[in-house]
Amino acid sequence: EIETAALEKTAKKLANRGLGAEFPVKADRDLTSDEIGSFHLLLVGTPANNSLLQKVAPSLPLAWKADGLQLGSNSVSGEGAGACVIYPNPLAPDRYVLVLTGTDEKAIQAAWSQRAGVDYVLVQGGGEDKRVARGLFDRNWKFSDKLNLPLREPVEAAK
């Protein structure tokens, strides 16, 4: 299990992305119901160490298993298993939660680095060649294997 200090360090690193503004970082226990309903949230951790994530987890398409993660027909487990998922906030449906989770700090960072352009990404181990699944949810925010995207774009042969 990832320690709270490592999660806080990761959250603070993500809060200042060189965009000219630093986003506030708050512990899950310090968020007010007004803040939960008013803001899009980045939730870092697991349901075991993030009380807000524990509340919304049953409504998310991502499932935490004993040694990994499952999203639809895709799963990752063990060291380096991570995911990044954006989804309507079950506690405030006109807002979103971006869930960044994993079995260790490296997995969380790998999932974050692979998130661009998709609703979800699952990683196993590390870099781009370790992506397991990436894709989009359907218009009703449901998982569909049909919306899994290729892990690598095909390279066109030189002519």
Side-chain angles (χ1 to χ4, degrees):
E1 188 67 35
I2 304 171
E3 294 189 26
T4 303
L7 294 172
E8 184 179 359
K9 176 182 152 194
T10 299
K12 285 182 177 181
K13 182 177 177 183
L14 298 175
N16 185 355
R17 303 300 293 171
L19 302 174
E22 187 166 325
F23 299 97
V25 174
K26 282 191 147 185
D28 52 332
R29 65 188 171 277
D30 295 336
L31 280 170
T32 67
S33 56
D34 187 48
E35 290 169 325
I36 292 168
S38 300
F39 300 105
H40 305 294
L41 303 174
L42 170 59
L43 304 178
V44 181
T46 68
N49 57 28
N50 184 313
S51 62
L52 189 55
L53 197 46
Q54 185 177 39
K55 283 182 189 176
V56 300
S59 301
L60 298 176
L62 182 66
W64 285 261
K65 303 295 182 183
D67 68 338
L69 304 160
Q70 173 114 28
L71 196 148
S73 60
N74 306 302
S75 64
V76 290
S77 61
E79 187 177 335
C84 188
V85 177
I86 189 165
Y87 201 75
N89 184 343
L91 303 174
D94 61 333
R95 301 289 174 206
Y96 291 93
V97 291
L98 180 64
V99 176
L100 189 54
T101 189
T103 55
D104 52 57
E105 190 177 356
K106 198 172 197 176
I108 287 175
Q109 290 174 357
W112 178 257
S113 72
Q114 298 295 324
R115 79 197 182 288
V118 294
D119 294 335
Y120 63 86
V121 63
L122 290 162
V123 297
Q124 182 70 61
E128 186 171 338
D129 59 330
K130 301 292 185 178
R131 253 187 308 197
V132 173
R134 62 191 281 271
L136 304 169
F137 295 115
D138 71 14
R139 71 175 81 182
N140 297 311
W141 289 95
K142 302 289 182 205
F143 174 84
S144 170
D145 279 321
K146 293 177 186 174
L147 297 174
N148 270 337
L149 299 173
L151 295 180
R152 292 188 183 270
E153 302 303 324
V155 177
E156 210 173 284
K159 296 182 181 178

